[in-house]
């Protein structure tokens, strides 16, 4: 049997010059959403998530931590047999809140919020030590333990989030007070860590500072931050192992790790030698994000190859159909190839958010549509599911099936996910466009307008579309004066038939399309309109046969959106619904559901009661139930259940029904919330 | 829609006189297995389990515990955040080993083993305190804490197992040294606990002593042991709650329970008011066993009704098709109705063994075949699966599906299951027959011979059969002299067509059969032969539609044996196999497999690779795979997997195969051990 070779290698081997031809994202400050899916979500984050989380932080004592000169109260979250306490990460939670809140300020001034952020920044500045150090936990509770357990204690991770917050705050408001703090902190970190004599060759157990330092480099132009990020990335996993030495210095056995292995923190091998996505999923995504940034910013083809290998491993063996990742609660991360259980899927919100970060950086480095496809998949599904429609409830883990017992919460002892999905949504404008010399990249489609300069000419880009509920997109292009550039228009990988017209004239896509993008180079002028029409039928998705949980099942997808069946919309518990392979699936927009969403319907079957029971297998059940097949369409009464034996030889009867599917990310906003992405095929 | 009323009530409402008409089991000493399934298993227990566990106990320091006058060493199994340590149960493990070993002595004298048991008995007698108390943990480590935490510390539970061991030892060997010890201990317990002034109104968190005291009563004829058992049973769950008072006396908050609720120990309500099987499954089975015993021995119709309600609840809503029970590892027990997941099924071996105990007692009390059916189901499947074919490896939990990572072990920090399944198998002869005035009950079929008196006449009963691999059973009846009695012959509930002949003449079963038993009353004489022919086709079993894990799936069963598909016998991982509903199932006896077992075969399908891939959903995967449907029957190479996308729009192809199923209880004796009881229907 002839088996064609995979062409991944030829397609993905970059030259350093390719890698250097990096697009830069158009900042979030330039893009405003209008209606559609994202404008209401940004409003929910602004109006609800931001104040709600602030109130939760106050109630749970997070802000008290900033008062480092007061003696600490009892540790609110004890260690409980773990090597760390969630209190050690509170700085990062505060930082992510500042970052999220800052993003909302850019397009929606709010003097009270602005003042509240300033107040927090001032508190942080006051708490910063004279040498530049800032970490409320160690300043206040364990000053002697600074930098003594990088493996478990998230010190540099917290620093990273503070840096991200500072850059966001400055971009959104122009205020540099927090940037001043983090520059001093980063400069101090640069004295402590590095390859020089007397410096520590350490790095954080939880990657984050790396990508943050790269942001700081891009914002300040100071190359030393890029170098420090590169040091942390390249030092990771080297022998002799820093975490070994550090544990010995603490008088501990390096092997006695709570999480068992260095795979957990992706420090089992030097990053350039890593070939499998392993360990804690969020750590992995943050590390790979920094690697992708460095590959682009430094023209580092070797590092890019490592990213590509890891990308292929993740996307061909270890990713949920929703773009969720990290199936196991045990290590909050990866397990084995094709191990993707649905009901127990951990698939942390932060991990899918992290995949958006990584995919975005790979996209900017390579401008290959496969990264945009994955960015969009994770964004619309595995990440968005972490936030309720009203912005006030959250998921930490995002299973792909539930019997109704997995519900959104309003507070969690490890509250990392809410501000993470919040900051992503609040800054989503920054993922829409990119610019490179002579090029504008259009990566996402959504009703919006953007204003940014191209070759010094101010450009207004307006998207009119009902995407993702419809595949018709109108892009009006209004440069201040006529200007020539290439419009690099994404043709999603899920689309089998796309058409483009420019000012009403058809544009031949075939010769212009490369790696998922159509390049339309022309002299653009006011009033130009590009119309993109993406065929967007509802489709059945099948998983690889090695994914045990999905064999005999089908998922429904339309455009970038993965759907699920939720009990509230259907007339039987979801586990009893079965979809015949031949049943047509129709797409609708239902303005009355969940604020308006695309829905899918199909004729299907309910597996119900057998026509009669079989007492042989069910000695406790007495006489058989003679009732005929239930022809009704009403939700069945629980009391009906008792008349059917627990086990019998008669196959269960089925009755016809119509199944209704909603976007996966919208589930658990109503009752009852039994849910399944993968539907049994009849 | 007319719905007939269930007749359970009319069928199960007993009168006290019914309850008093109790059968008594013919003791294990009277029955010897010959070939078939059980003789080799008894041999494995005798030749391997008994010495192997002895060696494991020695290696792990269990026997050291008996040396109560030496200072204790470090606690081998620390408390680790739990309210108890497994070391607290070591007495019960030793007792169960003595019980199991004693059973083997009855028919197979072994002077060395006999001496070893005597030595242990002597050690126990030496360690017993002058007041009769015996518990190595509290004598040696915490003498001041005797009887201070009945809820968590298993003190009376250990006493119960010692009593069971003593009775077994005496029955098997005629030696009463251990009975003397436990009588003194039970008498002492009777002074401490009871309704009288100055007595404690307590009972054990883990039921066991109750059924043990009833055994002691039956063995000694001393009614006070029965009364004490009845006290423990009736006191359970009463208010004010003993465990509350006890916790307060320890200075603890009664609500701060490790396991959360009194349902865990079935002490949430007085036992007569309990309607749902809840909590720790083994505790439940041991408690219900004692309740059934008391219902019979005391003619207590109210208690019998409580047992019947619990029986119906278990068997119609909370039992695995294997007779396994208690789906959750969290509480080692029950959860919600129809919550019966397969891969994560806890279904502890001890719980299925406990169900055999309970079913046996219900059977002896009511002589209703539904109890015998369940006894047989749990015995051949959920219980037997806990022991490897060679008797040297064990399961604690018995999932109904595995991806190959659940394997038998040789040692466990809580080693309760091995001697539990061991003592059941070693004493299985005691479950075959019963006698009541003018009646002999035949409950199980197996190649064997038994000798016991009926109305003072010695009777030899010889069964010739290949059961459970075949439904033909010949029972030769040889009384010393002619004697009239009713032979109450079980007609299993799973059998749709049974025929009986007596000395070659057909016997009309219809008028003679009541509640699963054919009563054949005649004057029996030497040479009489009853031939029973049970139709035993392989059957498909379907679960109630509320069992989410089993919808769209089918289990295979033949006679009492539930089958499973194991990867080693099949040409693809079990999750990829699908069985068309129309595919005939054929039964075979395969002498070359696992020492000889019944197997089932059927034409089925393997869900395999799609004909070609779909790169749209799988951006990392590059080109599509054009290969045609795999027509081969060889096990597929893992490397084949990589050429198929993780998600795609093309349904996976299937190819025909033959599936091979083995008895569930025989799984995980070979490699590779992926397994499933419930097979997807194609």
């Amino acid at each position: 049997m002839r088996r064609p070779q995979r062409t991944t290698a030829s397609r993905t081997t970059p030259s350093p010059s390719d890698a250097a031809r990096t697009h830069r994202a158009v900042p979030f400050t330039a893009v405003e959403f209008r209606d559609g899916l994202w404008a209401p979500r940004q409003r929910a984050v602004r109006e609800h998530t931001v104040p709600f989380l602030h109130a939760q932080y106050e109630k749970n004592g997070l802000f008290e931590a900033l008062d480092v000169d007061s003696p600490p109260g009892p540790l609110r979250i004890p260690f409980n047999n773990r090597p760390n306490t969630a209190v050690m990460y509170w700085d990062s939670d505060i930082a992510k809140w500042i970052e999220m809140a800052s993003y909302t300020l850019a397009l929606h001034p709010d003097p009270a919020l602005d003042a509240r952020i300033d107040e927090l920044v001032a508190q942080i500045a006051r708490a910063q030590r004279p040498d530049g150090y800032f970490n409320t936990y160690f300043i206040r509770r364990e000053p002697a333990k600074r930098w003594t357990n990088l493996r478990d204690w998230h010190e540099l991770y917290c620093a990273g989030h503070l840096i991200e917050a500072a850059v966001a705050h400055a971009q959104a408001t122009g205020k540099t007070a927090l940037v001043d703090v983090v520059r001093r902190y980063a400069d101090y970190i640069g004295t402590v860590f590095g390859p020089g004599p007397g410096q520590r060759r350490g790095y954080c157990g939880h990657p984050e500072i790396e990508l943050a330092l790269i942001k700081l480099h891009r914002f300040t132009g100071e190359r030393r931050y890029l170098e420090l990020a590169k040091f942390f990335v390249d030092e990771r996993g080297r022998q002799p192992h820093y975490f070994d030495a550090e544990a010995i210095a603490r008088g501990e056995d390096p092997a006695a790790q709570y999480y068992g292995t260095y795979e957990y923190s992706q420090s089992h091998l030097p990053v350039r030698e890593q070939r499998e996505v392993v360990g804690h999923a969020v750590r992995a995504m943050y590390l790979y994000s920094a690697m992708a940034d460095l590959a682009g910013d430094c023209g580092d083809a070797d590092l890019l190859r490592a990213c590509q290998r890891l990308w292929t491993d993740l996307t061909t063996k270890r990713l949920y159909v929703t773009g969720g990742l990290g199936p196991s609660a045990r290590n909050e991360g990866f397990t084995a190839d094709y191990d993707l259980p649905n009901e127990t899927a951990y698939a942390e919100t932060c991990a899918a958010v992290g995949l958006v970060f990584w995919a975005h950086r790979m996209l900017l480095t390579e401008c290959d549509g496969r990264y945009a496809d994955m960015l969009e998949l994770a964004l619309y599904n595995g990440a968005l599911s972490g936030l309720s429609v009203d912005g006030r409830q959250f998921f930490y883990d995002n299973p792909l099936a539930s019997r109704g017992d997995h519900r959104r919460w309003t507070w969690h002892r490890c509250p990392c996910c809410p501000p993470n999905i919040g900051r992503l949504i609040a800054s989503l404008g920054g993922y829409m466009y990119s610019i490179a010399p002579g090029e504008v990249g259009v990566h996402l489609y959504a009703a919006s307008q953007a204003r940014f300069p191209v070759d010094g000419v101010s450009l207004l880009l307006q998207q009119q579309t009902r995407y993702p509920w419809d595949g018709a997109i109108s892009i009006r292009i209004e440069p201040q004066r006529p200007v020539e550039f290439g419009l690099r228009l994404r043709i999603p990988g899920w689309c089998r038939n796309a058409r483009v017209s420019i000012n009403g004239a058809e544009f031949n896509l075939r010769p212009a399309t490369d790696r998922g993008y159509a390049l339309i180079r022309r002299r653009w002028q006011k009033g130009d309109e590009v119309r993109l029409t993406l065929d967007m039928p509802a489709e059945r998705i099948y998983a690889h046969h090695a994914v045990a949980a999905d064999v005999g099942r089908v998922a429904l997808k339309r455009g970038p959106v993965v759907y699920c069946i939720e009990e509230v919309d259907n007339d039987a518990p979801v586990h009893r619904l079965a979809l015949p392979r031949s049943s047509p699936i129709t797409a609708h927009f239902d303005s009355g559901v969940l604020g308006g969403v695309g829905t899918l319907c199909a004729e299907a079957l309910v597996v119900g009661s057998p026509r009669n029971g079989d007492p042989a297998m069910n000695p406790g059940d007495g006489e058989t139930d003679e009732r005929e097949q239930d022809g009704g369409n009403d939700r069945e009464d629980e009391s009906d259940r008792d008349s059917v034996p627990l086990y019998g030889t008669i196959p269960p009867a089925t009755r016809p029904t119509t199944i209704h599917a909603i976007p996966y990310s919208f589930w658990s906003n109503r009752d009852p919330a039994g849910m399944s992405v993968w539907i049994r095929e009849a």
Side-chain angles (χ1 to χ4, degrees), chain A:
Chain A
M1 181 166 39
R2 199 184 61 84
R3 188 170 305 162
Q5 294 302 303
R6 294 164 66 198
T7 58
T8 309
S10 67
R11 167 174 163 182
T12 57
T13 304
S15 73
S17 61
D18 277 343
R21 205 174 55 216
T22 299
H23 276 240
R24 281 294 156 103
V26 169
F28 67 94
T29 48
V31 182
E32 189 173 5
F33 291 101
R34 297 276 172 90
D35 307 319
L37 192 154
W38 293 114
R41 286 304 179 112
Q42 285 200 331
R43 190 163 54 243
V45 168
R46 197 169 66 241
E47 295 180 357
H48 299 303
T49 313
V50 167
F52 180 80
L53 282 182
H54 190 277
Q56 288 283 25
Y57 285 12
E58 278 205 317
K59 188 169 136 196
N60 288 279
L62 272 70
F63 291 128
E64 284 169 29
L66 293 175
D67 187 13
V68 296
D69 297 322
S70 297
L75 194 63
R76 294 216 187 199
I77 302 170
F79 278 74
N80 274 347
N81 255 356
R82 298 170 70 98
N84 48 26
T85 161
V87 176
M88 284 176 168
Y89 334 144
W90 280 1
D91 286 1
S92 73
D93 298 317
I94 294 170
K96 276 192 280 188
W97 184 86
I98 293 174
E99 183 183 348
M100 167 179 64
S102 296
Y103 290 138
T104 71
L105 284 181
L107 297 175
H108 294 85
D110 177 338
L113 183 62
D114 193 29
R116 179 63 185 121
I117 296 172
D118 287 347
E119 194 184 313
L120 287 170
V121 170
Q123 272 188 288
I124 291 166
R126 274 197 304 276
Q128 187 170 32
R129 300 291 93 172
D131 59 4
Y133 183 78
F134 177 83
N135 185 297
T136 63
Y137 184 89
F138 290 95
I139 290 173
R140 202 177 186 207
R141 294 181 183 271
E142 302 271 18
K145 293 197 176 169
R146 193 193 284 193
W147 310 134
T148 59
N149 187 344
L150 299 183
R151 187 187 72 194
D152 298 325
W153 289 348
H154 290 52
E155 227 167 336
L156 290 167
Y157 166 87
C158 288
H161 275 300
L162 201 67
I163 293 168
E164 287 202 271
V167 172
H169 187 229
Q171 287 178 308
T173 65
K175 300 177 187 179
T176 58
L178 194 53
V179 168
D180 295 342
V181 168
V182 302
R183 286 183 69 148
R184 287 207 294 139
Y185 191 9
D187 290 340
Y188 160 70
I189 291 170
T191 65
V192 175
F193 296 94
Q199 287 185 302
R200 294 167 195 249
R201 302 187 66 108
Y203 45 89
C204 193
H206 196 316
E208 155 63 22
I209 187 147
E210 299 83 354
L211 69 86
L213 286 166
I214 296 163
K215 274 194 181 178
L216 189 61
H217 157 64
R218 290 178 183 170
F219 184 77
T220 62
E222 299 281 4
R223 192 159 177 93
R224 64 179 179 278
Y225 302 131
L226 186 69
E227 294 298 334
L228 185 55
K230 189 164 152 37
F231 165 78
F232 282 137
V233 166
D234 276 333
E235 202 59 34
R236 194 170 205 88
R238 286 212 173 136
Q239 294 295 344
H241 204 288
Y242 185 80
F243 296 160
D244 280 352
E246 191 192 53
I248 290 163
R250 287 194 306 274
E252 293 170 12
D253 175 3
Q257 288 190 60
Y258 186 75
Y259 298 105
T261 67
Y262 287 140
E263 273 82 0
Y264 176 69
S265 54
Q266 296 84 36
S267 65
H268 55 302
L269 282 174
V271 299
R272 293 161 194 272
E273 296 171 27
Q274 295 188 21
R275 296 179 163 274
E276 283 195 331
V277 295
V278 295
H280 187 281
V282 181
R283 297 178 193 226
M285 294 303 108
Y286 287 11
L287 172 62
Y288 306 157
S289 292
M291 288 164 64
D293 271 342
L294 286 174
D297 285 8
C298 305
D300 187 332
D302 184 51
L303 202 52
L304 185 58
R305 269 191 296 272
C307 287
Q308 289 163 339
R309 281 195 307 266
L310 293 164
W311 182 269
T312 298
D313 190 57
L314 174 69
T315 57
T316 62
K317 292 175 186 162
R318 298 191 170 196
L319 189 70
Y320 283 102
V321 71
T322 55
L325 54 155
S328 172
R330 203 192 54 78
N331 66 343
E332 304 191 278
F334 298 104
T335 54
D337 287 349
Y338 306 107
D339 177 33
L340 297 162
N342 292 314
E343 200 169 319
T344 60
Y346 196 70
E348 186 183 334
T349 300
C350 286
V353 169
L355 176 54
V356 172
F357 295 161
W358 184 27
H360 190 219
R361 285 159 170 84
M362 293 299 284
L363 175 62
L364 294 175
T365 300
E366 294 192 56
C367 219
D368 186 326
R370 63 179 176 159
Y371 301 117
D373 290 343
M374 201 50 79
L375 189 167
E376 193 180 43
L377 181 78
L379 173 66
Y380 276 100
N381 304 289
L384 183 58
S385 66
L387 186 70
S388 68
V389 170
D390 69 5
R392 279 185 269 226
Q393 289 188 304
F394 313 99
F395 275 141
Y396 194 102
D397 43 332
N398 295 274
L400 279 74
S402 168
R403 280 181 280 171
D405 49 353
H406 187 81
R407 303 308 305 264
R408 296 177 184 278
W409 41 263
T410 55
W411 187 245
H412 194 284
R413 57 193 284 123
C414 182
C416 55
C417 296
N420 221 354
I421 178 63
R423 67 178 175 142
L424 174 61
I425 291 173
S427 64
L428 190 62
Y431 295 78
M432 298 270 299
Y433 301 104
S434 66
I435 45 176
E439 273 190 24
V440 169
V442 184
H443 307 295
L444 295 178
Y445 299 110
S448 60
Q449 72 171 30
R451 198 182 295 273
F452 55 89
V454 177
D455 290 340
V457 179
S458 173
L459 185 71
L460 176 67
L461 265 173
Q462 286 186 296
Q463 287 194 33
Q464 286 195 328
T465 178
R466 299 180 60 250
Y467 194 94
W469 315 128
D470 187 275
I473 301 138
S474 153
I475 304 176
R476 298 192 74 88
I477 295 169
E478 303 203 10
Q480 213 171 16
R481 55 182 165 77
V483 58
E484 185 180 327
F485 62 86
L487 189 73
R488 200 173 269 278
L489 205 62
R490 174 171 162 250
I491 310 298
W494 50 258
C495 180
R496 293 166 189 273
N497 187 25
R499 293 175 302 286
V500 166
S501 70
I502 300 169
N503 300 329
E506 190 171 343
F507 175 83
N508 185 359
L509 273 177
R510 195 167 288 268
T513 302
D514 175 42
R515 299 192 302 176
Y517 283 85
L519 184 60
I520 308 173
R521 185 172 292 284
R522 56 180 271 145
R523 189 170 176 84
W524 299 93
Q525 50 194 343
K526 224 169 210 168
D528 280 349
E529 185 192 20
V530 176
R531 280 183 178 272
L532 172 62
T533 308
L534 302 170
D535 278 5
M536 194 189 270
E539 292 197 297
R540 284 173 164 79
I541 303 296
Y542 296 90
H544 190 293
H545 55 255
V547 182
D550 300 339
V551 172
R553 293 178 177 267
V554 65
L556 303 182
K557 189 164 179 274
R558 182 168 180 257
V561 177
V562 175
Y563 285 74
C564 71
I565 47 174
E566 196 174 18
E567 188 166 348
V568 63
D569 300 308
N570 291 282
D571 70 352
V574 295
H575 75 262
R576 290 172 56 195
L577 299 173
L579 180 61
R581 190 170 286 180
S582 58
S583 184
I585 303 160
T586 57
H588 310 267
F589 182 80
D590 195 333
S591 58
V593 172
L594 294 161
V597 290
T599 58
L600 303 179
C601 293
E603 296 309 308
L605 299 170
V606 177
V607 176
S609 325
R611 269 183 297 278
N612 52 60
D614 171 12
M617 277 298 290
N618 208 36
D621 198 51
E623 287 295 292
T624 61
D625 174 8
E626 303 282 351
R627 69 185 164 130
E628 287 303 300
Q629 180 175 332
D630 185 346
N633 258 341
D634 296 325
R635 184 181 296 278
E636 286 166 30
D637 194 304
E638 289 235 342
S639 65
D640 287 8
R641 305 197 306 191
D642 293 357
S643 55
V644 180
L646 185 50
Y647 301 106
T649 57
I650 298 165
T654 57
R655 62 172 170 80
T657 191
T658 301
I659 58 165
H660 301 268
I662 61 162
Y664 167 72
S665 64
F666 283 75
W667 86 281
S668 190
N669 279 285
R670 299 162 300 163
D671 284 311
M675 181 278 293
S676 188
V677 169
W678 291 96
I679 308 167
R680 219 162 47 74
E681 275 204 317

